[in-house]
Amino acid sequence: MIEQNSSLNIEKKQLLMVRLSEHIDELYRKPRLRNLFWEATVQCNLSCLHCGSNCNNIKHNDSLTGKEMRTFLYHFANEFSAQEVMLHITGGEPLLRNDLFDVMRFAADLGFIWGITTNGILLTENVIQEMIRTNCRTISVSLDGLKDTHNMLRGCNCFNIVLNNIRNLVDSKGFSNIQVTTVVHKENIHELNNLLSLIEELNVDSWRLTSIEPIGRAKKMEQLFLSTDDYHKLLSFIKDCRQNRIKIPVSFGCSHYTTPEYERDIRDHYFFCGTGIITASILHNGDIYVCPDVERKKSLLQGNIKIDNFSEVWFTGYKQFRKRRDLLSQTCIDCSDSFFCRGDSAHSWDFEMNIPKCCLKKLFTSTKYIEKRVDTE
């Protein structure tokens, strides 16, 4: 009976994923911008081992001025609905930008709400109040393990500072969603249960878990990459948390398509990569880009807001992101899940070799691994 119910659930999932894939095909034809990321600065006060952008190695003397960004936002608000597009502020460490709140106050006056991703070190009480006053509603703070593992990944003795600042965020009661984000790697995956207890005690609104990725600075940190067993442990942990309805919602990030075994059971939606169809970004120097998590490549640039009209770029550019990447790869073409996965996320796609850098379906269905699981069970 268990196997029959499991099979039925997977069939239902596959049906829903077919409908989602049909919707994505429609978005290829008629993209709908819903998320605009602004890389406010590439300066950072840390040098994290897993930094996808390797931001400390990027020159920042050509960054947009506050006036340039305000001008862009003014024109953007006239061409897109402030109620339909969420502004996401990233970095580097965005709170290092001196005029950040001047720009975001201007954005708030235009009707935008915004969210921010931060390492949490600079979240003083004054900063928290400025964020609330300028219409910041969501915030994601990085907490990458217990004290030693967090400090190791971040290269800084900052764990207690971040913990205290998260508590101050919660006490402020000024945000609609305070999220803790954890990058799971080889050195902290054994801490998941203890981390859950800590995060429940913090009383934040959600906990987002994602895996360390072979991009940016992390490409040199292979000893931290997760094994197939580790991925199963991570996804099973998330699935168990969600099924047991713990008080803090737990989810897997948007990093990867998994398999029907896990899809929808590990996050509130089925996997799809929205870059170029619902998501775009403005890099620190004004470059119009895809998802900011995608490794920086000149071939992927769509223009620059200093010389190009963003609206025209959005509706006429992003051509390679409005068709199926999986059809470029023989590995993906031969996969039974390619219609759902479509080559996985753009940030884990090798644009030179046209292959996914990390395929969880391939890991989970390898003969060697299946035989190992059978022996273990």
Side-chain angles (χ1 to χ4, degrees), residues 6 8 11 29 34 38 47 64-65 72 106 122 132 159 172 245 256 258 307 323 338 375:
S6 177
L8 182 62
E11 288 175 5
R29 295 186 290 270
R34 292 293 180 264
W38 175 36
S47 185
L64 290 171
T65 65
F72 165 76
F106 183 81
L122 301 177
I132 295 171
F159 177 82
S172 73
R245 300 182 183 277
H256 299 293
T258 56
I307 57 175
K323 56 186 178 182
S338 62
D375 289 342

Side-chain angles (χ1 to χ4, degrees), residues 70 73 77 82 87 89 101-114 134-135:
R70 287 192 294 272
L73 288 171
L87 298 180
I89 313 305
F101 294 121
D102 291 336
V103 174
M104 299 322 296
R105 189 175 298 107
F106 183 81
D109 290 342
L110 292 172
F112 290 102
I113 60 173
W114 58 286
T134 54
N135 230 11

